[in-house]
Amino acid sequence: MKPFVYITRKLPEEVVTPLREKYEVKMWDKEDVIVPRTVLLEEASKADALLTMLSDQIDEELLSAGEQLKVVANLAVGYDNIDIEAATKRGVTICNTPDVLTDSTADLTFGLLMAAARRIVEGAEFIKAGQWKSWSPLLLAGYDIHHKTIGIVGMGSIGSTVAKRATGFDMEILYHNRSRKMEVESELGATYCSFDELVERSDFIVCLTPLTAETKDLFTRDVFKRMKKTAVFVNASRGPVVNEQELYEALKEGDIAAAGLDVFDKEPIDETHPLLTLSNVVAIPHIGSASIETRMKMMNLCVENIDLILSGQEPKTHVNK
């Protein structure tokens, strides 16, 4: 029998064809609906390979059900949805999609920064609502980006690329990371500093840190109070690194000026979420890597990794090597 591959979201047929030519493939038939847990568990129990989304929980329960599972290819850079220790213990290879989405996510992150600072979304809604009656000196006035200080929390490949974008705006670049990045310091003039110093000095605080036990709820009301009142906060990493209720209170009470958010604690968020009631919040639905070119590269990399593992070879991006 051919190895069985289960794909947890509907993907373009041209992406899936290389797998269909060699393996038995089954795919969840909806693009925008999460595969039900019961279905995922049932399919995993038969699968040699899973191609998963960030919204799929690959935990102890699922891994123990997948007795013949060899590989999980996650359509994301992050893999906080996967119990890496449990997978490693069972000899299941975990793959992700780094590098191919770095530039696209950095573009989106900087765009979110600009939109929040210059009130672009607010302005677009203002004019659509017929509220523009005349030109006014301070109508929807936001904050300049050029010659300001950007603080990047999490200087991985995406953080480094955001820093590169910042040089085009003549920004001072601060960063905080688990380890110093000497190449970023030498090439881009970035300065390593403590988290506290970054928070207090930066005009723009950009969160790109992975979600870990140490970074969960990293940004609290106390942290926001130590930022400049004119500061703009951007989160393009993972929602749980921010205490959302305390961010809401900080924005509402004027502790900081604005926020740009691509990720949330629970996704998708409800349209009644308190943060969505604030005009100084630009919220988008976790689309950091969502360009057509990049998403296709991510899908193709997942397919390639699955094929390599099922063919007895080393995958291109092996998380738990």
Side-chain angles (χ1 to χ4, degrees):
M1 290 179 61
K2 292 181 178 180
F4 174 51
V5 179
Y6 186 68
I7 302 172
T8 67
R9 199 64 60 90
K10 187 177 181 180
L11 303 182
E13 195 55 41
E14 62 265 32
V15 172
V16 182
T17 296
L19 289 177
R20 291 199 192 280
E21 291 173 351
K22 298 177 67 174
Y23 311 109
E24 181 187 350
V25 177
K26 189 173 180 181
M27 183 165 56
W28 178 241
D29 61 357
K30 295 178 176 62
E31 293 181 8
D32 55 358
V33 177
I34 297 171
V35 61
R37 179 70 175 178
T38 53
V39 174
L40 181 55
L41 286 170
E42 180 183 352
E43 301 297 347
S45 69
K46 303 174 289 185
D48 296 275
L50 294 175
L51 197 164
T52 58
M53 309 296 125
L54 196 59
S55 51
D56 302 317
Q57 291 304 308
I58 311 303
D59 53 15
E60 180 79 37
E61 180 188 30
L62 184 138
L63 290 163
S64 62
E67 293 182 357
Q68 61 192 48
L69 195 58
K70 298 178 180 65
V71 56
V72 176
N74 208 39
L75 192 74
V77 172
Y79 40 86
D80 45 273
N81 60 313
I82 301 174
D83 187 333
I84 298 296
E85 185 178 347
T88 305
K89 186 171 64 178
R90 287 177 169 79
V92 178
T93 298
I94 304 301
C95 301
N96 63 344
T97 60
D99 304 327
V100 295
L101 52 67
T102 299
D103 281 300
S104 295
T105 306
D107 288 348
L108 188 284
T109 301
F110 210 88
L112 197 52
L113 179 155
M114 296 178 70
R118 294 300 305 271
R119 303 173 69 179
I120 293 172
V121 173
E122 193 180 349
E125 295 303 316
F126 184 85
I127 199 169
K128 286 179 181 178
Q131 295 176 282
W132 189 24
K133 304 304 179 184
S134 68
W135 186 90
S136 175
L138 289 176
L139 175 65
L140 291 166
Y143 294 93
D144 280 334
I145 299 155
H146 57 272
H147 301 132
K148 294 289 184 70
T149 299
I150 185 172
I152 300 172
V153 181
M155 191 60 92
S157 58
I158 297 172
S160 301
T161 309
V162 169
K164 185 178 180 181
R165 306 288 186 268
T167 61
F169 287 78
D170 296 316
M171 301 180 84
E172 179 183 7
I173 302 165
L174 306 179
Y175 78 96
H176 180 73
N177 199 58
R178 285 177 294 185
S179 58
R180 288 184 66 171
K181 300 286 185 175
M182 305 308 294
E183 69 279 7
V184 177
E185 294 182 24
S186 61
E187 292 173 13
L188 303 177
T191 301
Y192 176 82
C193 64
S194 69
F195 180 72
D196 289 339
E197 183 182 355
L198 182 148
V199 163
E200 292 166 7
R201 287 182 54 191
S202 300
D203 299 294
F204 298 91
I205 295 91
V206 179
C207 179
L208 290 164
T209 184
L211 176 61
T212 65
E214 291 74 29
T215 62
K216 189 177 188 303
D217 283 332
L218 178 63
F219 289 92
T220 61
R221 185 74 188 277
D222 176 64
V223 173
F224 292 122
K225 281 183 175 180
R226 285 187 278 126
M227 295 179 184
K228 298 178 181 180
K229 289 191 176 297
T230 55
V232 174
F233 174 71
V234 175
N235 187 14
S237 59
R238 289 291 181 267
V241 302
V242 179
N243 185 309
E244 287 182 350
Q245 179 59 34
E246 295 185 14
L247 172 59
Y248 168 78
E249 293 166 2
L251 288 160
K252 189 173 175 58
E253 298 302 320
D255 294 338
I256 61 173
L261 307 171
D262 184 41
V263 290
F264 300 88
D265 188 20
K266 297 287 188 293
E267 297 180 359
I269 65 167
D270 189 88
E271 66 272 13
T272 61
H273 194 292
L275 283 167
L276 301 186
T277 67
L278 301 177
S279 61
N280 56 345
V281 171
V282 177
I284 53 177
H286 204 149
I287 56 172
S289 62
S291 72
I292 293 170
E293 299 93 331
T294 293
R295 286 286 168 89
M296 291 298 288
K297 288 177 184 176
M298 292 168 68
M299 288 183 255
N300 286 325
L301 179 55
C302 284
V303 166
E304 189 173 2
N305 278 329
I306 287 173
D307 183 39
L308 286 167
I309 285 290
L310 295 183
S311 301
Q313 302 176 63
E314 178 66 18
K316 285 193 168 182
T317 55
H318 193 165
V319 171
N320 58 339
K321 195 171 185 178

